Amino acid sequence: GSLAIGGTQKNVVNILKNIDREKFEPRLCCLFSGGHFEEEIKPLNIPTLICNYGPIYDLRVYLKIVRFFKGADILHCFGYPTIYFGVFLGWLAGAEKIIVAVQDRDVWKKWYHIFLDKLIKPFVDLYIVDGKGTMEFAIKQQGINPDKIITIYDGADIEALKPNKTKSEIRAEFGIPDDVPAVSVICRLDDKKKGVSYFLKAIPFILEKHPDARFLVVGDGEDKNALEELSSKLNISERVIFTGFRRDVADILNAIDILVIPSIWESVPKMLVDAMAMGKTIVSTDVGDIPELLVNDKTGILIKPEDHKGIADAVNLLLGNKTKAAEFGRESFNGINR
């Protein structure tokens, strides 16, 4: 759809950066422009078609995309509603094999989305999901043939997760002393899915026990202003820093004590994989395929979604028990690197 902020977009960029250019000739097509990751693909010198206007209303876009797809051996479609355009136009263009990435448990879908999913099924050769639970959900929701769907878990780019700055340098940038706890969420600011408001609502309860703690909200999105307003209403603005979009995620993870993933629904958040690969202490909601990676009370703490008090209790427990927090971090690293 675009190269905006998100785990799916990051996966696409990682594929383009790491694909074997001696075996494959990648091309990239996006329906919309203006994404944060556009600058990252420019040095790759990959043929790219970015459509700068709505494809639903201009047939010229369809013709451009069909011409762009001509001669494709494999067409790999990501995101909604992008897959519907991709599969149909790829079929018109004669793409030999069509793959659809299912990157989420799409609990939001209405009957007409399900209808479109079932309409494109005959043209899809393979579905790829990033968790077994999501596979089962997609099979049931969309009626996918189990023989045409596989699970490939996301991996962590270990080189990209090597910090470029010290913990002290990053904390100094945000005015956070080295000796105070730092807790963060790192995600797209889409509150109906990512649940950042529940993280903010937990902060007053954390401050009751750890009054010197600081909190980072790392990311950008349509709900940033609303979340900043909520922070003001909760009288926590002095302790919460909204960083906006950051490319130095490894540096941020290195600088914090606890990562919170307060999602309301998910498959496998990319940030969970990266944080576990760095051995971070994690508090996450027990949703989607997260429990397939993060084991409660062993590699982190799992809580119910939409439970700000549960977030506060888990963070307070870990901030008050550094030994347990460090143990979870070690087990988290071991679990993701097995």
Side-chain angles (χ1 to χ4, degrees), residues 74 83 96 102 152 180 224 233 280 294:
I74 299 171
I83 63 164
E96 288 193 28
V102 180
I152 301 177
V180 306
K224 183 180 179 183
K233 289 179 181 177
K280 301 308 298 184
L294 194 71

Side-chain angles (χ1 to χ4, degrees), residues 276 292-293 295 299 329-338:
M276 292 182 72
E292 292 180 30
L293 279 73
V295 181
T299 60
R330 285 193 301 272
E331 288 297 321
S332 176
F333 175 82
N334 293 333
I336 204 70
N337 284 286
R338 282 198 186 101

Side-chain angles (χ1 to χ4, degrees), residues 19-263:
I19 197 166
D20 188 340
R21 299 291 284 272
E22 292 185 1
K23 294 182 179 180
F24 298 96
E25 296 178 6
R27 305 179 215 165
L28 173 67
C29 176
C30 290
L31 296 184
F32 303 100
S33 64
H36 283 275
F37 288 115
E38 282 187 24
E39 292 300 316
E40 289 194 27
I41 64 165
K42 286 182 180 178
L44 302 178
N45 295 316
I46 289 171
T48 301
L49 173 64
I50 296 181
C51 308
N52 294 314
Y53 42 95
I56 295 173
Y57 307 109
D58 196 326
L59 292 177
R60 290 175 298 175
V61 178
Y62 295 123
L63 296 175
K64 278 186 178 181
I65 294 173
V66 169
R67 285 196 294 267
F68 192 73
F69 286 167
K70 284 287 185 182
D73 298 295
I74 299 171
L75 175 63
H76 196 166
C77 302
F78 292 83
Y80 293 93
T82 317
I83 63 164
Y84 305 131
F85 296 102
V87 170
F88 178 66
L89 297 176
W91 172 74
L92 283 179
E96 288 193 28
K97 299 291 181 182
I98 297 177
I99 298 172
V100 167
V102 180
Q103 298 276 291
D104 215 336
R105 293 195 189 190
D106 298 312
V107 297
W108 52 269
K109 283 187 174 179
K110 308 295 184 183
W111 67 268
Y112 44 87
H113 297 113
I114 306 298
F115 173 76
L116 288 172
D117 287 331
K118 292 182 178 180
L119 198 64
I120 66 172
K121 274 195 308 179
F123 307 101
V124 179
D125 296 284
L126 181 68
Y127 293 86
I128 298 177
V129 301
D130 55 3
K132 291 181 180 177
T134 296
M135 174 192 282
E136 294 169 1
F137 185 89
I139 289 172
K140 184 177 180 180
Q141 184 192 54
Q142 301 177 30
I144 297 172
N145 182 342
D147 294 332
K148 292 176 66 174
I149 187 168
I150 61 171
T151 298
I152 301 177
Y153 287 100
D154 285 337
D157 186 343
I158 301 302
E159 287 301 314
L161 290 176
K162 291 180 179 178
N164 294 309
K165 296 181 179 179
T166 66
K167 175 180 177 179
S168 295
E169 287 174 327
I170 290 293
R171 283 181 168 236
E173 178 182 340
F174 298 119
I176 302 175
D178 286 348
D179 58 347
V180 306
V183 185
S184 180
V185 292
I186 306 175
C187 64
R188 184 176 72 256
L189 301 186
D190 174 8
D191 195 46
K192 63 183 180 297
K193 178 183 179 183
K194 297 297 185 178
V196 179
S197 59
Y198 294 97
F199 171 70
L200 295 177
K201 291 174 185 177
I203 290 174
F205 297 96
I206 299 170
L207 289 172
E208 286 179 5
K209 293 192 175 183
H210 303 278
D212 56 346
R214 307 295 170 85
F215 305 87
L216 294 176
V217 177
V218 181
D220 206 345
E222 60 268 31
D223 291 328
K224 183 180 179 183
N225 290 340
L227 292 168
E228 288 178 331
E229 288 177 11
L230 176 60
S231 178
S232 296
K233 289 179 181 177
L234 293 169
N235 296 316
I236 55 174
S237 295
E238 291 185 1
R239 295 304 178 90
V240 180
I241 301 163
F242 286 82
T243 72
F245 176 73
R246 302 279 299 205
R247 297 187 187 278
D248 55 345
V249 171
D251 290 328
I252 300 289
L253 285 171
N254 189 45
I256 63 173
D257 298 292
I258 297 173
L259 176 72
V260 176
I261 300 175
S263 299

Side-chain angles (χ1 to χ4, degrees), residues 103-105 134 187 193-194 261 263-270 285 287-290:
Q103 298 276 291
D104 215 336
R105 293 195 189 190
T134 296
C187 64
K193 178 183 179 183
K194 297 297 185 178
I261 300 175
S263 299
I264 297 171
W265 84 82
E266 283 282 4
S267 176
V268 177
K270 181 67 176 170
T285 48
V287 297
D289 298 328
I290 291 174

